[in-house]
Amino acid sequence: MIYRYKTQGTCAGYIDVEVENGVLKQAVFHGGCNGNLQGISKLVSGMSVDQLKETLSGIRCGFKATSCPDQLVKAVEAAIAQEEAN
């Protein structure tokens, strides 16, 4: 199932993620730095959720308290929580 996450504090407006059996299948960023975010999406596809969290959590963009990679972690966590609630 694809989950749409509304980002906070980043140029990307939202992220569509698909997580299956603890693995990120795909991430699609909408808005933001298109080339960079396409690259991040390709690099993290197939990564375990645990590895994704360890690698991307807490990354900041300039003076901001978050970044698109950090928001991706939050999107994956929200998708998992939504799946568990269903």
Side-chain angles (χ1 to χ4, degrees):
M1 176 177 92
I2 296 176
Y3 177 83
R4 177 162 284 179
Y5 179 79
K6 173 80 173 103
T7 61
Q8 298 176 8
T10 62
C11 297
Y14 57 94
I15 308 168
D16 293 332
V17 296
E18 183 178 6
V19 179
E20 185 177 299
N21 299 320
V23 174
L24 179 65
K25 293 294 183 185
Q26 70 172 346
V28 178
F29 290 84
H30 299 273
C33 305
N34 189 37
N36 290 333
L37 296 174
Q38 284 184 51
I40 289 171
S41 295
K42 288 185 180 280
L43 290 170
V44 299
S45 291
M47 188 180 279
S48 75
V49 170
D50 290 338
Q51 185 180 16
L52 183 82
K53 289 179 184 180
E54 183 180 317
T55 304
L56 302 179
S57 287
I59 292 176
R60 296 174 57 146
C61 183
F63 64 89
K64 298 177 183 178
T66 190
S67 66
C68 289
D70 185 58
Q71 288 292 297
L72 176 58
V73 172
K74 293 179 183 344
V76 167
E77 291 172 336
I80 291 169
Q82 178 71 31
E83 188 174 298
E84 290 174 353
N86 290 338

